[in-house]
C-alpha cells in the first residue's frame, strides 16, 4: 500500500461535501470552449469581423458566459464550502441554475445570430435571454450567498469571493440592460445611456471583478493546498483585497454616475485601473511567497501551469499599462482581451480543472474506503508527462495568437486557434481518462467498497 500525502484538514472535509453538479458545469463549459476555438479557427468573430459585430458578440459570450463563467460557478460550488468549512446551502439547486443559465445563453446566442442575419428575427429572444440569465445567476448568488452567510466572520479568500459575486451581479445587470436594448425594451433615457456607453463597465466588471478577482481569491487557497504552502493572511493579502474591492467600487459606482450624466469615463477608468494595478502587484508578491514557502518539493503539473497563467496575467497588466499610456488601448483592446481570456483566465482554469477533476474523482471513489483497504494516490489517476504536452501546446498557441492580433496576421491567428483547439481536445481526453480511472493500475482500480464514478456528476454528496 502506497503512503498517502498529508492532506490539509479543509480538503478532507471536502470529502463530505462534494458538489454533485460541479462536473456538469465543467463539461458544459468545456463544450463552449471547444466551440469558441472552432469558431476562431474557421474565421468567425474578431479579428475576421469588427469588435462590435454580432459574430464577435456571439464568440465573446461563448467564451465569457459559456466557458469562463460556467467554469467559475462550478468551481465555486465545490470550493466555497471548502473555503469556509461549511456545507453548501443546497446541492440540488445548482442543477436548476445551470439549466437556467444554459437556456438564457442559448437564447442570447440565438439573438446575436438574428442580428447577423443567420436566423429570422424573433423579438422576444433577447427578453427571454435577460430573464433566464438573470434568474440563473440570481440563483447562483443565492446558493453561494447563503453558504457564505452561515460562515461569518469570513476569512480572506472568502472575502475575495464576495467581491467577485458582487461584480457578477453588476455584470449581469449591465448585460440585462444591453439585452433589453437589443430587444427594443430599454427606451428609458437612463437605460438608453447605459446601453450606449456602458460596455466598458460591463466588460471590466466581468473580466476584472467577477473572473479575475474571484480567481485571485480562490487561487490563494488552492495554491497553498496543492503545494502544501502556509496560507497567507497578512497585510499584503489584505491590501490586495482592499485595493481590488476599491477598484470595483470606483468602476461600478462612479462609472454608472459618469455614464448617465454624460461625463467622460476616462478619469473613472484611470483611477479604478490604478487601484487594480496596485492590487495585482501585491497579489504577485503573495503568489511568489506561496511558491517559495511550499513544503512539496516537486511542483505538480497544475501548479506549474498555474504559474504560466500567472505570468500571462503579469504580461497582460504590463501591456494594458503601456497601451493606456501610449493612447492605443482601444486599437489593441481585442488583443488584450484575448490575452486576458486565454492566457490568464483559461490557462489558470484548465490547470486547476486538471487537478480538481482528479481530486474530486479520488475523493468520490476512494474516500469511503480510505484506511480500510489499499487505494491509489491522487497522482495515480493522472499521467502528467502526457498531459503536460497538451498544456505547453495550448500556451504556445495562445502566445502566437496574441502576437498575430497585435501585428495583424489573421490567417496565422486562425492556425494558432486550430492548435489551441487540438490542445484543448487533448486536455479534455485527459480529463475523461481521469474520470474513468483509465490510468490507474487495473489491480488497484476498484477495490471492494468502491464503484466507477459517473462522468458528469458525483454520487457522494451531503
Amino acid at each position: 500500500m502506497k503512503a498517502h500525502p498529508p492532506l490539509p484538514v479543509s480538503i478532507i472535509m471536502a470529502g463530505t461535501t462534494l458538489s454533485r453538479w460541479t462536473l456538469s458545469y465543467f463539461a458544459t463549459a468545456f463544450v463552449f470552449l471547444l466551440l469558441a476555438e472552432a469558431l476562431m479557427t474557421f474565421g468567425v468573430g474578431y479579428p475576421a469581423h469588427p469588435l462590435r459585430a454580432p459574430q464577435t458578440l456571439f464568440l465573446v459570450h461563448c467564451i465569457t458566459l459559456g466557458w469562463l463563467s460556467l467554469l467559475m460557478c462550478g468551481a465555486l460550488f465545490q470550493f466555497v464550502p471548502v473555503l469556509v468549512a461549511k456545507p453548501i446551502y443546497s446541492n440540488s439547486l445548482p442543477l436548476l441554475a445551470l439549466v437556467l443559465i444554459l437556456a438564457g445563453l442559448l437564447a442570447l446566442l440565438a439573438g446575436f445570430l438574428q442580428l447577423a442575419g443567420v436566423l429570422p428575427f424573433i423579438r422576444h429572444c433577447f427578453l427571454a435571454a435577460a430573464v433566464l440569465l438573470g434568474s440563473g445567476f440570481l440563483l447562483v448568488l443565492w446558493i453561494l450567498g447563503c453558504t457564505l452567510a452561515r460562515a461569518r466572520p469570513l476569512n480572506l479568500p472568502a472575502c475575495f469571493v464576495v467581491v467577485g459575486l458582487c461584480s457578477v451581479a453588476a455584470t449581469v445587470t449591465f448585460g440585462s440592460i444591453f439585452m433589453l436594448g437589443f430587444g427594443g425594451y430599454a427606451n428609458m433615457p437612463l437605460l438608453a445611456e447605459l446601453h450606449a456607453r456602458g460596455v466598458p463597465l460591463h466588460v471590466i466588471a466581468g473580466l476584472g471583478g467577477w473572473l479575475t478577482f474571484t480567481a485571485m481569491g480562490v487561487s490563494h487557497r488552492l495554491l497553498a493546498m496543492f503545494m502544501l504552502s502556509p496560507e497567507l493572511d497578512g497585510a499584503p493579502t489584505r491590501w490586495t483585497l482592499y485595493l481590488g474591492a476599491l477598484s470595483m467600487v470606483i468602476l461600478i459606482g462612479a462609472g454608472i454616475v459618469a455614464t448617465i450624466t454624460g461625463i467622460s469615463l476616462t478619469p473613472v477608468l484611470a483611477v479604478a485601473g490604478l487601484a487594480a494595478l496596485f492590487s495585482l502587484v501585491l497579489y504577485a508578491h503573495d503568489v511568489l511567497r506561496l511558491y517559495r514557502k511550499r513544503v512539496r518539493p516537486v511542483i505538480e503539473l497544475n501548479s506549474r501551469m498555474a504559474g504560466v497563467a500567472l505570468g500571462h496575467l503579469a504580461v497582460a497588466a504590463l501591456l494594458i499599462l503601456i497601451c493606456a499610456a501610449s493612447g492605443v488601448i482601444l486599437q489593441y483592446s481585442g488583443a488584450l482581451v484575448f490575452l486576458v481570456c486565454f492566457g490568464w483566465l483559461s490557462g489558470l482554469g484548465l490547470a486547476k480543472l486538471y487537478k480538481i477533476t482528479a481530486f474530486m474523482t479520488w475523493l468520490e471513489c476512494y474516500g469511503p474506503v480510505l484506511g480500510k483497504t489499499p487505494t491509489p494516490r491522487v497522482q495515480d489517476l493522472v499521467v502528467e508527462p502526457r498531459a503536460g504536452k497538451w498544456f505547453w501546446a495550448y500556451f504556445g498557441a495562445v502566445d502566437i495568437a496574441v502576437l498575430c492580433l497585435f501585428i495583424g496576421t489573421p490567417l496565422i491567428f486562425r492556425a494558432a486557434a486550430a492548435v489551441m483547439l487540438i490542445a484543448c481536445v487533448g486536455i479534455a481526453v485527459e480529463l475523461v481518462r481521469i474520470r474513468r480511472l483509465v490510468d490507474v493500475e487495473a489491480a488497484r482500480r476498484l477495490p471492494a467498497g468502491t464503484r466507477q464514478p459517473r462522468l458528469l456528476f458525483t454520487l457522494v454528496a451531503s
Side-chain angles (χ1 to χ4, degrees), residues 377-418:
R377 302 169 305 158
V378 178
Q379 284 303 96
D380 292 331
L381 274 64
V382 301
V383 180
E384 289 196 352
R386 186 181 61 217
K389 296 174 183 174
W390 296 121
F391 278 98
W392 285 118
Y394 170 81
F395 279 113
V398 167
D399 292 341
I400 293 172
V402 172
L403 181 61
C404 291
L405 292 177
F406 271 104
I407 63 177
T409 52
L411 287 180
I412 301 177
F413 170 83
R414 289 172 60 179

Side-chain angles (χ1 to χ4, degrees), residues 127-342:
L127 178 61
V131 172
L132 290 167
L133 282 170
S135 302
F137 278 101
L138 188 62
L139 193 52
V140 170
L141 291 172
W142 173 255
I143 299 165
L144 296 175
C146 289
T147 306
L148 290 165
R150 291 172 169 179
R152 291 177 298 173
L154 298 175
N155 55 37
L156 268 181
C159 290
F160 277 84
V161 173
V162 170
V163 176
L165 294 179
C166 292
S167 298
V168 74
T171 305
V172 173
T173 301
F174 284 128
S176 297
I177 292 172
F178 300 151
M179 285 183 271
L180 293 175
F182 282 128
Y185 297 97
N187 296 321
M188 293 174 58
L190 180 66
L191 297 181
E193 280 295 323
L194 285 172
H195 182 225
R197 302 181 61 223
V199 172
L201 305 180
H202 176 60
V203 173
I204 299 173
L207 292 180
W210 161 228
L211 295 168
T212 293
F213 203 70
T214 307
M216 287 165 59
V218 173
S219 66
H220 265 104
R221 178 61 63 89
L222 289 184
L223 289 172
M225 280 182 181
F226 295 143
M227 294 193 297
L228 301 181
S229 185
E231 294 184 6
L232 304 176
D233 61 356
T237 310
R238 293 183 183 278
W239 277 105
T240 303
L241 170 68
Y242 299 152
L243 289 169
L246 177 64
S247 70
M248 285 300 107
V249 170
I250 295 171
L251 175 80
I252 296 169
I256 290 175
V257 173
T259 300
I260 61 180
T261 56
I263 300 173
S264 171
L265 273 174
T266 303
V268 175
L269 298 179
V271 175
L274 193 62
L277 180 62
F278 282 118
S279 177
L280 285 174
V281 170
L282 292 172
Y283 174 62
H285 173 265
D286 275 351
V287 168
L288 289 175
R289 288 175 63 199
L290 287 170
Y291 275 87
R292 287 172 180 165
K293 293 187 174 182
R294 71 184 187 278
V295 174
R296 193 184 295 277
V298 179
I299 302 179
E300 295 174 354
L301 179 63
N302 77 92
S303 295
R304 294 201 301 276
M305 294 301 109
V308 176
L310 289 162
H312 282 78
L313 173 62
V315 172
L318 182 62
L319 289 176
I320 290 172
L321 192 63
I322 293 172
C323 289
S326 306
V328 295
I329 195 165
L330 289 179
Q331 179 182 348
Y332 295 117
S333 58
L336 294 170
V337 169
F338 184 92
L339 176 57
V340 170
C341 284
F342 287 100

Side-chain angles (χ1 to χ4, degrees), residues 25 77 93-102 136-137 139-140 143:
Y25 277 79
F77 284 135
L93 287 178
L95 178 60
L96 177 58
L98 175 60
V99 171
L100 288 170
I101 293 173
L102 188 57
F137 278 101
L139 193 52
V140 170
I143 299 165

